[in-house]
Amino acid sequence: MTASPAPHWSAHLPPGVEADLGSGGTLPGAWTARWASEPGAQVIATTAGRIVTAAELEQLTAAAAGRYAAAGLAPGDRIIMSAGPSVELVVAYLAALRYGLTVVPANTAYTAVELANLAADAHPVLAVLDDPGRAPDLPVTTPDLAGLPRPQATPLDRVESADPALIVYTSGTTGRPKGAVLSHANLLASAHAVRLAWRWTPEDRLALALPLFHIHGLGVGLHGTLVAGASLLLVPRFEPAAIATAVEDGATMFFGVPTMYHRLATSPHLDGLRPLRLAVSGSAPLPAELHDAVRERTGQRILERYGMTETVMLVSNPYDGPRRPGTVGLPLPGVSVRLAPGEGGVSEIEVTGPNVFGGYLDRPAATAEAFTADGWFRTGDLGVLDDDGYLLIKGRAKELIITGGYNVYPREVEETLRLHPAVGDVAVAGVPSTEWGETVVAYVVPADAVDTATLEDDLTQWCAGLLAPYKRPRVWRWIDMVPRNALGKVLRHELP
């Protein structure tokens, strides 16, 4: 067993600072303390020019919580939320947590059938949706809580740290999604960890263009902003021009996924990132060449980090120390990481810390399988540690290809192929083979209209110079688009 020890936390903490990851007790406790200390501080801004101060946010969320109470909801009830970013959605969400409700975020792309499946598992009493027609069998309101009664006086901010705050369903890249139950303590610990590690202060403004149904936008972007006492600019839809404008208007931080950075890098707006204090990438691997391209043009050293639905944030490249392309860095404050040797000589990443969830909703068998006998969470990701303790993600355990007895990491082959100018996008997977056990197959999106026979020859020669023979694709398939989820992760089970 290889472990990355706690002393690595020092790389993330300013000199003399202790890592108090429970300050505030609960999410609402931490937020309301910030609001009370600076009632006139700006907390939320919109691209349309709306400004919400701390005092206004306290009043708006208290009134919204009173409307939940008047509608008959009680602390501990669950509500689904699925809508685009807006002040109204943020208010509805914060009010739910202040009142003691448990929020079930849902992808805005979910159909009525998908929401019904989610509801059948989570048993919500209300849905807050952009389109009420998406949940015909549930009591529904819109983010402005239209149709709910006038607010009634009700006690707020009485939740305990162990109480559930979110039930976030896994992205479903394999198997049926499971609801990860995250407590206030889990979410608060992670928010404080990134606040400390990324030097997040009240002077910061985050350009938030991530969806608020995913842990990246919600658990890192929104929670982190509020715990830090900072402000955010809600960007309802990611566009390179919108991010450049946000930075020009004073944003100091931007959190994105690799697809966003790719679009910025291929746009005339990449230089707009220059004034940022911090640019963070996550939710999917950031190609090292994209990291270098952004640095060369803007001076920004994108900070890559690693987290999961079940754990929020785990590991990050340091703010002050070297940010190494291709790695996700060092364990965040409170987090411990170890590598557990598995079959075929690979090592699975296991973690523990106050940010790690307690289990899946109504899935005791899945929960038991997810944890080791001594209580560490099995991430399902494969990794290695370099000599300085930086973590490199090699792929998912279930995605590992074993061909002829050798291990092939799809990510390594994909990154090699993406370097070829004729490859627009690519995904690599293993298919059963009677001869090899599995055969390496490359699903390629050509960058331009090309003769695929010629391209196959070119890519075969390309791989011959860069990859060991057993890693080279033996089968080439040409597709129009690589299937991905909302955060850019490849859905290998949907490959043809």
Side-chain angles (χ1 to χ4, degrees), residues 78 80 103-107 110 114-115 117-124 166-173 176-182 213-215 308-310 360-363 485:
R78 299 168 188 158
I80 287 178
V103 176
V104 183
N107 195 315
Y110 278 4
E114 289 168 312
L115 282 177
N117 291 336
L118 197 69
D121 195 71
H123 305 292
L166 293 178
I167 300 174
V168 188
Y169 280 76
T170 56
S171 58
T173 52
R176 188 161 67 99
K178 303 181 292 290
V181 183
L182 291 158
F213 56 76
H214 189 273
I215 205 69
M308 300 184 69
T309 298
E310 294 92 339
Y360 297 107
L361 179 67
D362 300 329
R363 305 281 180 85
N485 68 10

Side-chain angles (χ1 to χ4, degrees), residues 109-305:
Y110 278 4
T111 63
V113 172
E114 289 168 312
L115 282 177
N117 291 336
L118 197 69
D121 195 71
H123 305 292
V125 299
L126 179 70
V128 179
L129 306 178
D130 49 3
D131 176 10
R134 293 168 61 211
D137 298 325
L138 282 175
V140 176
T141 183
T142 45
D144 60 0
L145 305 187
L148 296 191
R150 294 175 61 85
Q152 68 180 39
T154 186
L156 299 179
D157 310 321
R158 294 190 172 186
V159 294
E160 300 290 336
S161 60
D163 289 343
L166 293 178
I167 300 174
V168 188
Y169 280 76
T170 56
S171 58
T173 52
T174 58
R176 188 161 67 99
K178 303 181 292 290
V181 183
L182 291 158
S183 70
H184 280 268
N186 297 148
L187 295 162
L188 183 63
S190 195
H192 276 307
V194 295
R195 174 185 65 82
L196 291 165
W198 299 345
R199 310 297 191 265
W200 213 331
T201 73
E203 285 68 46
D204 280 310
R205 172 184 273 193
L206 172 67
L208 185 57
L210 293 161
L212 295 181
F213 56 76
H214 189 273
I215 205 69
H216 192 169
L218 197 61
V220 185
L222 180 60
H223 293 176
T225 294
L226 297 176
V227 167
S231 66
L232 60 84
L233 174 66
L234 282 174
V235 181
R237 181 181 177 184
F238 171 80
E239 293 291 346
I243 301 306
T245 299
V247 179
E248 185 178 354
D249 291 343
T252 62
M253 305 169 70
F254 170 66
F255 300 168
V257 300
T259 301
M260 292 179 177
Y261 284 105
H262 176 76
R263 288 187 58 191
L264 281 160
T266 56
S267 79
H269 302 288
L270 181 62
D271 287 344
L273 300 185
R274 285 183 180 275
L276 285 174
R277 182 181 69 79
L278 181 63
V280 176
S281 180
S283 296
L286 181 74
E289 62 271 18
L290 179 55
H291 181 286
D292 291 340
V294 173
R295 177 183 51 78
E296 289 170 4
R297 281 185 53 186
T298 69
Q300 285 293 338
R301 297 179 301 136
I302 297 173
L303 186 150
E304 191 171 6
R305 87 305 179 276

Side-chain angles (χ1 to χ4, degrees), residues 2 9 36 40 109 173 385 402:
T2 303
W9 299 353
T173 52
L385 297 171
I402 302 178

